[in-house]
Amino acid sequence: MGDLKNKVILIGGNHHNGLGLARSFGVNGIKPYGVIVGEGAEHGFVRKSKYWAKTWVIKSDNEIVEFLLNAFQNEKEKPVVIPYSDGAAEEIDLNLDRLKEHFLLPSIGGQQGKIAELMDKQKQVEFAQTYGIPMAKSCVVDLNDIRLPEDMIYPCIVKPVVSAEGEKSDIRKCDTETQTVAYLQELREKGYHRFLVQEYLIYDTEYLMVGSISGQNQCWFNSKKIRVWPVVGGSSSCLQVTSENSVQEFFDEVRNAFGRVGYDGIFDVEALRVGEKIYLNEINWRNSGTIYSVFGSKVYYPVNWYYWKTENQSPENFIRTCLDDTVYTMDESLDLRHVACGNITLRQWLNDKKKARAFAIWDATDLKPTMVQYFHLLKELIKRHGVKNG
C-alpha cells in the first residue's frame, strides 16, 4: 500500500458520516485529509479521530472550491475527493469543470451539474420512470401557489425537494388534503419556496443499498432497516444485511440505471416494500450516514472507489459485496432514543447491541471521538430533561 500517491480528501460536516469514512480509509492503511464544514466543526468530535492525516475547518459549503484549489494546487497526482454531505456534493458538482483538472471527482458522465440536478426529488421520479423503477406518486408544489393534484393519494409525506435545501425535521406525514395544505402554508412562512408531496406508502420493510460504482466496477451491499429515528422520515438506527432475492434484483436494476447514466461515485439508495412490491424511496448521490456498517460487512466501498479512480489494484482481500444476514450494525446514539421513548425495552436494545458488529460512534481502536461525542450527547440529554421537568 506504500505506493499510493494520490491523497484522499473527505468533505462534509461534523457528522458521524465523516468519522466512519476516515476510519474506513484509516483501517485500510490510507490516512485521509478532512475538510470539515460548518459551525461547531472546529471543536467537533469528527476531527478527533486518530486516522486523519490532517484536517481543516471552513465555515460553509461555498468556500469548498477555493479552499481545495488553494490547499491542493501543487499535487503531482490528483487527489480523490469524496463529499459526505448533500451541500458538499452539490457544490463540488456545480464546479466540476474548474475542479476536474486538479482532482478525481464523482460525476454523472463527467458533466458539470448533473449530480446536482438529480438531487432534485422530482428529477429522481423522472429518472425512475425512465428506467422502469417503481416509485410512489409524487409532485412538487410551488408554495407561492399551493395546488395539489386532484389524483394525489393520502396520507402523504411532505419533504424538501433537495435535501441540501431543507431540514430533515421538516419532513412530515399528512393524512388529508386540508392538513397537507395547512402544513405547506406553514412551510411557506418558514421561507421555503417549493416542497415535494409524495404518496405515503404504508410499507412493511425499508431497505438500503450503499456502495460505489465507476465504469464496469461496482461494489455494494443491501441492508434491511430494523429501526429508524425519527419514526417518520428518519435515519437508519439499526440495520441488518439482507440476502433476499427480490431485494437483490430490485437494487441490481437501480445500479444498472446508474451505469446507463454514467454515474461515477458513491451512493445510498432507499427502497420500501409494500406487500410483494418494492418501490424506490430516494437516492443520495454521496456517502451514506450508515458508513459504519462497512465494518460489519467488510465491504469497503469508498476505499474501493478510491482504488478504481487512481487506477491502483485494490488489495486481494477486498470483497465487492456481502450477503451475510447475521451482520447487524447500529447508530447507538439514535437507536437509544427508541428506549427513551418506550418503543423498545432496554433489555431488547441491549440484546440488539450485543448482536451488532459495528457502531456509528463507538470504535475500540479510535476512542477519542467516541468519548467526546458520548459526553456531548449526555450533556444534551441532561439539558433536554432539565427543560422537560423544569
Side-chain angles (χ1 to χ4, degrees):
M1 289 199 191
D3 59 348
L4 297 173
K5 296 182 178 71
N6 309 69
K7 290 175 174 167
V8 60
I9 306 163
L10 312 176
I11 308 181
N14 182 48
H15 183 275
H16 68 252
N17 192 330
L19 178 63
L21 261 179
R23 286 168 170 173
S24 67
F25 277 94
V27 298
N28 286 297
I30 302 166
K31 284 206 159 191
Y33 292 77
V35 181
I36 322 291
V37 186
E39 300 301 317
E42 194 158 339
H43 305 291
F45 71 109
V46 171
R47 295 182 76 195
K48 306 278 191 263
S49 175
K50 70 175 192 184
Y51 290 116
W52 294 111
K54 187 175 180 183
T55 58
W56 295 267
V57 170
I58 59 175
K59 286 195 174 65
S60 69
D61 291 324
N62 54 23
E63 291 177 28
I64 289 173
V65 178
E66 295 310 321
F67 179 84
L68 284 175
L69 292 169
N70 289 334
F72 295 95
Q73 60 189 354
N74 299 322
E75 297 296 321
K76 286 196 172 62
E77 303 291 336
K78 290 183 180 182
V80 174
V81 176
I82 298 178
Y84 62 86
S85 70
D86 290 309
E90 187 175 35
E91 193 63 29
I92 287 163
D93 192 56
L94 291 172
N95 292 280
L96 192 68
D97 294 343
R98 274 185 75 193
L99 292 169
K100 67 184 177 192
E101 289 170 43
H102 307 282
F103 300 94
L104 297 169
L105 305 155
S107 76
I108 291 177
Q111 290 176 279
Q112 177 166 298
K114 274 287 183 211
I115 292 176
E117 191 181 302
L118 273 172
M119 285 176 138
D120 184 310
K121 303 281 191 294
Q122 187 56 36
K123 291 280 189 289
Q124 288 188 21
V125 172
E126 292 161 23
F127 169 82
Q129 282 168 344
T130 304
Y131 294 103
I133 299 164
M135 202 168 178
K137 184 170 182 54
S138 315
C139 69
V140 172
V141 178
D142 172 359
L143 297 188
N144 298 317
D145 179 21
I146 298 173
R147 273 187 250 182
L148 292 161
E150 286 181 10
D151 60 349
M152 193 61 215
I153 303 166
Y154 301 93
C156 63
I157 191 155
V158 181
K159 53 187 176 184
V161 179
V162 178
S163 304
E165 270 180 25
E167 298 295 322
K168 225 174 171 150
S169 53
D170 289 328
I171 296 174
R172 188 176 292 180
K173 180 187 166 201
C174 298
D175 294 315
T176 61
E177 184 176 1
T178 317
Q179 208 180 10
T180 309
V181 170
Y183 184 52
L184 291 169
Q185 285 165 339
E186 207 179 299
L187 290 164
R188 184 174 57 200
E189 299 301 309
K190 274 191 164 184
Y192 284 106
H193 298 292
R194 57 183 191 150
F195 234 70
L196 183 86
V197 178
Q198 194 170 53
E199 168 192 358
Y200 181 77
L201 295 170
I202 298 165
Y203 58 87
D204 307 306
T205 322
E206 205 173 343
Y207 298 99
L208 179 72
M209 169 176 69
V210 293
S212 56
I213 181 170
S214 186
Q216 299 305 305
N217 293 305
Q218 295 185 9
C219 171
W220 76 96
F221 60 98
N222 305 328
S223 302
K224 183 160 104 174
K225 298 190 181 189
I226 306 295
R227 285 187 290 277
V228 301
W229 183 270
V231 179
V232 172
S235 304
S236 312
S237 62
C238 184
L239 294 158
Q240 176 190 8
V241 167
T242 178
S243 57
E244 288 171 63
N245 278 336
S246 54
V247 178
Q248 300 288 349
E249 285 163 16
F250 178 85
F251 282 134
D252 286 350
E253 287 299 310
V254 176
R255 287 198 317 283
N256 288 341
F258 287 171
R260 286 162 75 181
V261 294
Y263 181 54
D264 183 354
I266 290 170
F267 52 79
D268 156 305
V269 184
E270 295 173 14
L272 307 168
R273 179 191 289 286
V274 180
E276 290 302 297
K277 199 163 180 190
I278 300 177
Y279 293 86
L280 177 65
N281 186 31
E282 70 176 26
I283 301 166
N284 291 304
W285 309 90
R286 53 154 171 80
N287 188 55
S288 172
T290 66
I291 174 68
Y292 55 89
S293 58
V294 304
F295 299 102
S297 69
K298 302 296 183 221
V299 179
Y300 293 104
Y301 59 85
V303 188
N304 260 322
W305 191 70
Y306 167 87
Y307 277 105
W308 300 331
K309 293 301 284 175
T310 57
E311 295 175 4
N312 280 293
Q313 190 60 45
S314 48
E316 275 176 21
N317 60 344
F318 264 36
I319 55 173
R320 295 274 176 116
T321 192
C322 171
L323 296 168
D324 179 356
D325 41 25
T326 65
V327 175
Y328 287 82
T329 59
M330 183 186 276
D331 177 341
E332 68 276 42
S333 65
L334 275 189
D335 207 49
L336 198 51
R337 296 176 199 198
H338 285 285
V339 179
C341 290
N343 296 346
I344 56 171
T345 63
L346 181 61
R347 175 183 268 178
Q348 190 193 331
W349 187 78
L350 290 169
N351 276 337
D352 288 348
K353 185 176 171 291
K354 206 185 285 178
K355 277 195 290 194
R357 296 200 200 168
F359 299 92
I361 303 165
W362 172 266
D363 180 340
T365 69
D366 189 29
L367 281 173
K368 211 169 172 190
T370 304
M371 292 310 155
V372 169
Q373 186 61 354
Y374 277 4
F375 184 65
H376 167 73
L377 292 166
L378 190 65
K379 271 200 322 202
E380 287 293 300
L381 197 70
I382 292 165
K383 202 160 74 183
R384 276 201 204 120
H385 277 285
V387 170
K388 224 182 264 181
N389 302 333

